[in-house]
Amino acid sequence: MRVLIVEDEPYLAEAVRDGLRLEAIAADIAGDGDTALELLSVNSYDLAVLDRDIPGPSGDEVARRIVASGSGIPILMLTAADRIDDKASGFGLGADDYLTKPFELRELVLRLRALDRRRAYARPPVREIAGLRVDPFRREVFRDGRYIALTRKQFAVLEVLVAAEGGVVSAEELLERAWDENADPLTNAVRITVSALRKRLGEPWIIATVSGVGYRIDTQPEAQDGGGDRG
């Protein structure tokens, strides 16, 4: 999952970003409305965490632009105002959820996970495919009932692959969805992470490499003959 944090208090924004990274959620920061709109125009985000009181185009205006774009990006609004009228106006602008400051990071994470699950279609809280059981709330992975310990980045990559339900995901999309904007587009981090993830999940190999295209979850790993490109 990749999130845009729109917050003009640098300390708070960085604390939220670092906290989300610990939960295997990639996050970019925009300190004002202009930067937020620019990042939204060039990057693909799963969610936006939006402070209403920011310099430049207000958070309300950014919310209007997101809704008008038709991207369907869920918006979680942050604000110090906790009156019901303030919340009502935020929902009226298209916000999907609302969190007042100060807040617990754990609550923010839970709300983001819930919004992501509901995005586009009703996804189950726990996803299962080809013997894998992935629980984003607990950040746990099981294969055929066996617990698999993953790093945060491995979990983030696996989430994207599992969400594709056997479809091919390009290295570029994985880099965009599981890393933040500081990632080097020429890095081999995706290949290294996928290779390590494949080994963690064990045999028979469940992550297949589609040469020149990307990676996918093999829904019939038992049918593999041991050949082909697994790098």
Side-chain angles (χ1 to χ4, degrees):
M1 187 196 310
R2 187 174 180 183
V3 175
L4 176 63
I5 304 166
V6 186
E7 169 60 61
D8 66 334
E9 296 180 30
Y11 177 80
L12 176 59
E14 291 171 7
V16 171
R17 178 196 61 195
D18 294 345
L20 293 183
R21 285 176 175 173
L22 292 176
E23 297 291 334
I25 299 174
D28 297 332
I29 294 175
D32 56 70
D34 286 323
T35 303
L37 293 173
E38 179 182 355
L39 290 175
L40 286 164
S41 69
V42 298
N43 297 320
S44 176
Y45 293 103
D46 298 294
L47 296 155
V49 177
L50 180 60
D51 187 353
R52 299 185 72 175
D53 187 17
I54 55 173
S58 68
D60 289 358
E61 178 59 25
V62 173
R64 290 190 189 95
R65 299 277 192 92
I66 291 174
V67 173
S69 72
S71 65
I73 300 174
I75 301 168
L76 188 151
M77 279 192 168
L78 294 178
T79 183
D82 59 358
R83 296 180 307 170
I84 189 64
D85 288 345
D86 293 306
K87 294 182 179 182
S89 65
F91 284 121
L93 290 166
D96 297 275
D97 202 353
Y98 213 103
L99 193 57
T100 55
K101 300 177 183 177
F103 57 87
E104 293 288 338
L105 180 65
R106 182 58 178 161
E107 181 178 1
L108 174 62
V109 170
L110 290 172
R111 289 174 181 267
L112 291 177
R113 291 289 188 190
L115 287 173
D116 183 55
R117 187 174 73 244
R118 294 198 299 266
R119 186 184 183 191
Y121 59 94
R123 289 181 288 182
V126 176
R127 299 185 68 89
E128 298 188 20
I129 183 173
L132 284 178
R133 186 175 189 273
V134 180
D135 186 337
F137 282 88
R138 299 177 184 272
R139 201 149 59 80
E140 293 180 340
V141 176
F142 293 84
R143 183 174 185 189
D144 297 327
R146 176 174 58 92
Y147 175 72
I148 308 291
L150 299 180
T151 67
R152 292 186 293 273
K153 193 58 67 179
Q154 289 167 357
F155 187 89
V157 168
L158 183 61
E159 266 198 298
V160 177
L161 291 173
V162 169
E165 299 182 331
V168 178
V169 181
S170 68
E172 292 77 13
E173 183 177 352
L174 284 173
L175 190 66
E176 184 173 276
R177 297 284 302 282
W179 277 261
D180 59 32
E181 66 174 347
N182 296 314
D184 182 355
L186 301 179
T187 184
N188 61 355
V190 172
R191 181 180 59 81
I192 293 172
T193 302
V194 170
S195 178
L197 173 60
R198 181 182 287 124
K199 292 175 182 177
R200 285 284 184 98
L201 294 174
E203 297 185 8
W205 306 127
I206 197 170
I207 300 178
T209 299
V210 181
S211 184
V213 182
Y215 306 93
R216 65 179 177 84
I217 296 293
D218 192 336
T219 56
Q220 295 182 315
E222 294 81 8
Q224 296 171 8
D225 60 9
D229 179 9
R230 299 292 170 188

